[in-house]
Amino acid sequence: MPKRLSKSTSPYLLQHAENPVDWYEWGTEALDRAKAEDKPILLSIGYSACHWCHVMAHESFEDEQTAQMMNENFINIKVDREERPDLDAIYMQAVQAMTGHGGWPMTVFLTPEGEPFYGGTYYPPEDRQGMPSFRKILGGVSDAYMNKREGVETTAAQIREIYKSSMTSARSAGVLDAHVLDLAYRALAQQYDIRNSGFGGAPKFPPTMSLDFLLRYWKRTDTPYALEMAVDTFRKMARGGIYDQIGGGFARYAVDSVWLVPHFEKMLYDNALLVRFGAHLWQATHDDEVKRVTSETITWLRREMTSPAGGFYSSLDADSEGHEGKFYVWSSDELDALLGDDARAVKAFFGVTPSGNFEGSNILHRPFPAGPAASRLGMSADDVLAAVQRSRSILYDARVKRVWPGRDDKILAGWNGLMLRGVAAAARAFNSEEFRNLALRNADFLASQMVRGNRVMRSHKDGITSIPGYLEDYAAVALGFISVYELTFDEKWVSLAKEITEAMITWFWDEDVGGFFDTASDAEKLITRPRDLTDNAMPSGNSLAMELLLTLAELLHDTDLRRRAVFALESLGPAMMKYPTAFGHALGAADMSINGAIELAIIGDFEERDFKALAAVAAEKYVPSLVVAAGAPGERTEIALLHERPLRNRKATAYVCRGYQCESPTIDPAELSEQLDKAPRANAT
């Protein structure tokens, strides 16, 4: 039997290359065979770090009897959802419609034409807890396709109807005003978990985009509770087991409501959003803990997730040695042996007990501040913190010697663009040369390896760049380049972002629909052209694209870019008010559209002290929807925000503008600080 997956660049597909299942990658070879043999397609979608994907693989795809049933009755296709988000979105929509829920592994049965007629997620090898066994599913679906074809065709026709909404023309609801933001804030406040922070119960995912909106709302309206929700949720996560207290970085989610027990996989996109939010939260609060956790997460990225060429890898697995979380947990005895006299303080600080809090071992977390822990030990808080600081490197060095969880080392353009934004924001806020260099290396990698002409590619692994990019790739990479411009004021990054944006409009915007599709107009023709408007684990391509259009519109004073963004946002207004947690990133773009961007232009010599003083003030301030540009006096530039900005008194000069009105140009860092502080409120409507 051919091992077709062995030629793949996807680590997830390579994990299945030796299965006894006759797997195909998605493509014409598999689809043509399904049509020629009139066999249904078994489509299995997952990703490298997915725990239950591994479980189902071991239980079913490595089982000879199960594989024989699959090979005899189906054409079997394996898809990496991270490389093919278009296929994942299309068939997840069908599974959710059929079952009321979704997740991975996703198992979908298709007609030879690719139309879904049955599906679900994980199936056990034997009947369990009301779930039918996978072999029972295989037998039932095969029988239905062979002997009850009419029912299969009826179901496929019903599913076709759910795809029609993506082709519906967008309509402006005409309600994009401050009321949208107010109602979204109230809805979030009502859903907030006062005791444990975050929103809802278990499981709990980092609600980073909603927190970012709350931070914006606080700055715009001076609503203290909005800031309280944002700060407390970040702290609860940072002190919980969802945050890696030794190595840095956040796990994908907590299985409980108190942020203690994580699902241990670490995803690049989660950490990208949290790094950028952390930089913004520090600008708003100058809180040392926020800066430490954000910096540690970037250190984790640099140390464990960065390729030699500067690209960022996709994820770390939850499992090692066949056990979830084994790499990350500790016994009380281990800490005694490693830490000596410091063990007592460290165990109290991290809540370590002989019985443990996770399957007999301990997930390190911070159940209470250093003060209470110190008082019980008869120590000072400073002594406890010093012991903890000494212990971190010792524990990390000991952990390095364990069997590591698997790493998905493919480099995805969109995810890298998100992390590039985060690292650049932190480099700027924290004035970190190390973070600046990391951002520049990544930007250079994306520009040289992931951008072909003005087209963005999706995936890179082992020197091979493949798969045409999706809307999220174009938008996130262009936004990343703009963030690098804000860090360096090198105009080439704006030029690159502009080229990518123009290509994005050419290939993804549909004038009839009045919005963006997730796939390019020249992409592979599937059963529908996906168009996801909601923000899920990461921002939708649409909300990223709207933010990009609004940002470039300010830099270039381009009214057409703004027109497209505003129309698309207006069509989402009613949904954003009712379901704010599904539109966290879109709400940020809506804030920028409703209240207007705050424009900052700094004119001067980049190397002079007076210029650096103004730029430093801007870098340390939290200003929602800030669009910043800088240039030399009289310099020719396509950045319209810099046009007609003379120096005052031959010194570097800052111009703060909002709503086509500008403050008095200033050469004084203190005056600039005051102008930036009042700018968000002054332009709120």
Side-chain angles (χ1 to χ4, degrees):
M1 181 172 58
K3 303 293 185 183
R4 300 180 188 86
L5 301 189
S6 62
K7 301 176 183 178
S8 174
T9 58
S10 161
Y12 174 63
L13 268 57
L14 290 172
Q15 289 172 357
H16 294 269
E18 298 301 320
N19 291 168
V21 177
D22 186 12
W23 290 116
Y24 286 83
E25 290 193 60
W26 180 274
T28 55
E29 182 183 4
L31 300 175
D32 289 346
R33 183 181 168 192
K35 293 173 185 175
E37 298 182 14
D38 190 26
K39 281 186 176 180
I41 294 167
L42 191 164
L43 177 65
S44 176
I45 301 180
Y47 59 101
S48 175
C50 168
H51 171 72
W52 287 102
C53 298
H54 299 328
V55 172
M56 189 168 176
H58 296 321
E59 293 175 342
S60 295
F61 302 148
E62 295 173 8
D63 179 72
E64 294 284 350
Q65 183 180 352
T66 303
Q68 183 178 353
M69 290 183 68
M70 295 171 66
N71 296 338
E72 290 177 354
N73 297 294
F74 302 94
I75 303 301
N76 304 291
I77 300 178
K78 177 64 74 172
V79 166
D80 183 337
R81 66 172 292 259
E82 296 169 353
E83 285 195 337
R84 293 298 304 264
D86 54 339
L87 294 171
D88 182 61
I90 288 170
Y91 293 111
M92 182 63 75
Q93 189 177 5
V95 168
Q96 289 173 332
M98 287 186 280
T99 68
H101 65 273
W104 301 276
M106 178 163 54
T107 309
V108 199
F109 297 91
L110 320 176
T111 68
E113 290 72 34
E115 296 182 329
F117 64 89
Y118 190 83
T121 53
Y122 164 79
Y123 292 108
E126 308 293 342
D127 292 353
R128 185 189 304 162
Q129 298 177 349
M131 300 172 63
S133 72
F134 187 48
R135 285 196 293 269
K136 185 177 289 185
I137 293 292
L138 294 175
V141 171
S142 177
D143 178 67
Y145 188 80
M146 296 298 296
N147 303 312
K148 303 169 186 175
R149 187 71 61 90
E150 184 176 342
V152 167
E153 293 172 350
T154 298
T155 301
Q158 292 171 343
I159 297 298
R160 276 198 299 272
E161 292 298 312
I162 72 172
Y163 294 128
K164 290 184 178 179
S165 61
S166 67
M167 305 303 294
T168 302
S169 297
R171 295 181 180 178
S172 171
V175 293
L176 196 62
D177 56 26
H179 187 57
V180 173
L181 306 179
D182 291 338
L183 289 180
Y185 164 72
R186 292 173 194 169
L188 287 171
Q190 290 173 354
Q191 297 172 37
Y192 185 67
D193 181 346
I194 297 174
R195 173 174 293 181
N196 301 310
S197 298
F199 303 94
K204 253 186 179 151
F205 291 79
T208 315
M209 290 173 278
S210 294
L211 300 182
D212 183 76
F213 168 70
L214 289 172
L215 195 62
R216 287 172 176 268
Y217 191 83
W218 159 74
K219 191 67 174 181
R220 295 286 195 185
T221 65
D222 195 25
T223 304
Y225 191 47
L227 179 62
E228 182 182 330
M229 286 188 281
V231 172
D232 285 355
T233 301
F234 188 89
R235 282 179 178 160
K236 283 286 176 64
M237 291 190 297
R239 296 173 184 179
I242 193 175
Y243 180 69
D244 182 351
Q245 304 292 337
I246 299 304
F250 289 83
R252 182 165 169 250
Y253 65 90
V255 302
D256 52 35
S257 63
V258 298
W259 306 108
L260 173 60
V261 180
H263 187 43
F264 289 89
E265 68 198 42
K266 291 183 183 177
M267 310 301 295
L268 182 67
Y269 58 78
D270 286 320
N271 286 280
L273 297 174
L274 284 159
V275 162
R276 185 165 181 261
F277 174 71
H280 290 167
L281 190 62
W282 179 83
Q283 289 173 322
T285 64
H286 282 224
D287 181 276
D288 289 341
E289 183 179 12
V290 171
K291 183 176 183 179
R292 175 183 61 80
V293 170
T294 304
S295 298
E296 288 174 357
T297 300
I298 299 175
T299 298
W300 161 77
L301 171 77
R302 177 189 55 77
R303 186 173 53 205
E304 299 181 18
M305 299 295 288
T306 302
S307 76
F312 300 141
Y313 299 134
S314 293
S315 64
L316 287 177
D317 208 330
D319 298 5
S320 56
E321 299 183 79
H323 296 280
E324 185 179 6
K326 185 174 181 179
F327 182 76
Y328 297 101
V329 298
W330 304 85
S331 71
S332 178
D333 289 343
E334 280 181 295
L335 298 190
D336 287 336
L338 288 166
L339 302 179
D341 292 341
D342 283 340
R344 185 164 164 260
V346 170
K347 289 195 295 184
F349 184 82
F350 284 129
V352 173
T353 65
S355 58
N357 54 28
F358 178 74
E359 299 178 355
S361 296
N362 290 273
I363 299 168
L364 302 188
H365 68 299
R366 292 183 57 188
F368 27 70
S375 64
R376 287 200 303 273
L377 297 171
M379 300 172 64
S380 71
D382 287 343
D383 286 343
V384 170
L385 291 173
V388 170
Q389 185 61 30
R390 287 191 296 270
S391 75
R392 280 198 165 102
S393 60
I394 296 171
L395 295 179
Y396 186 84
D397 290 343
R399 200 172 76 177
V400 164
K401 299 172 185 176
R402 297 176 176 176
V403 176
W404 278 70
R407 182 174 65 192
D408 188 326
D409 60 354
K410 68 176 180 292
I411 297 165
L412 298 175
W415 297 13
N416 272 247
L418 293 177
M419 183 57 90
L420 175 58
R421 296 188 79 191
V423 175
R428 183 170 168 267
F430 303 156
N431 191 27
S432 169
E433 192 67 20
E434 177 188 349
F435 297 167
R436 175 190 171 95
N437 292 336
L438 184 64
L440 286 174
R441 286 186 65 226
N442 183 252
D444 287 337
F445 174 86
L446 291 175
S448 64
Q449 300 298 318
M450 307 301 285
V451 180
R452 302 272 178 86
N454 60 2
R455 302 295 294 265
V456 178
M457 301 298 287
R458 174 67 174 176
S459 184
H460 179 94
K461 186 179 183 297
D462 297 334
I464 299 171
T465 301
S466 61
I467 307 174
Y470 302 96
L471 178 63
E472 68 182 55
D473 298 307
Y474 281 70
V477 168
L479 284 166
F481 288 165
I482 291 173
S483 293
V484 174
Y485 168 74
E486 293 173 343
L487 179 64
T488 64
F489 300 125
D490 184 342
E491 192 171 330
K492 76 175 183 180
W493 297 111
V494 174
S495 297
L496 275 170
K498 179 185 175 185
E499 291 175 11
I500 292 170
T501 302
E502 290 170 349
M504 181 182 78
I505 293 171
T506 297
W507 297 108
F508 294 87
W509 179 269
D510 188 287
E511 200 64 46
D512 292 335
V513 167
F516 289 103
F517 282 96
D518 294 335
T519 55
S521 57
D522 62 346
E524 175 189 359
K525 297 297 182 279
L526 303 172
I527 60 170
T528 189
R529 192 177 177 193
R531 182 167 170 256
D532 190 356
L533 301 176
T534 57
D535 300 314
N536 297 301
M538 59 181 285
S540 71
N542 265 271
S543 64
L544 288 167
M546 289 183 280
E547 182 189 7
L548 172 62
L549 295 180
L550 290 170
T551 303
L552 266 186
E554 298 294 332
L555 283 170
L556 306 177
H557 291 178
D558 188 317
T559 56
D560 182 65
L561 295 180
R562 179 171 177 80
R563 173 190 66 81
R564 294 176 192 272
V566 170
F567 181 83
L569 283 165
E570 285 177 345
S571 69
L572 296 179
M576 286 191 285
M577 288 187 286
K578 290 181 67 176
Y579 310 108
T581 56
F583 294 95
H585 196 83
L587 282 165
D591 165 77
M592 190 174 187
S593 177
I594 293 165
N595 290 313
I598 295 157
E599 300 176 345
L600 170 62
I602 307 177
I603 306 300
D605 184 334
F606 295 176
E607 300 304 318
E608 292 294 328
R609 183 181 301 175
D610 54 350
F611 177 91
K612 291 180 178 179
L614 294 174
V617 166
E620 291 188 356
K621 291 284 182 185
Y622 175 66
V623 185
S625 301
L626 178 68
V627 177
V628 60
E635 183 179 47
R636 295 186 63 182
T637 173
E638 67 174 338
I639 300 175
L641 185 55
L642 296 174
H643 292 174
E644 300 179 11
R645 309 286 195 188
L647 295 177
R648 289 188 66 189
N649 301 330
R650 298 182 180 180
K651 290 188 176 182
T653 306
Y655 293 79
V656 176
C657 304
R658 61 195 186 280
Y660 308 105
Q661 296 181 346
C662 295
E663 299 285 342
S664 297
T666 182
I667 61 175
D668 181 6
E671 185 177 3
L672 175 59
S673 178
E674 291 177 6
Q675 290 179 357
L676 291 174
D677 279 338
K678 74 177 185 178
R681 283 287 296 133
N683 203 41
T685 55

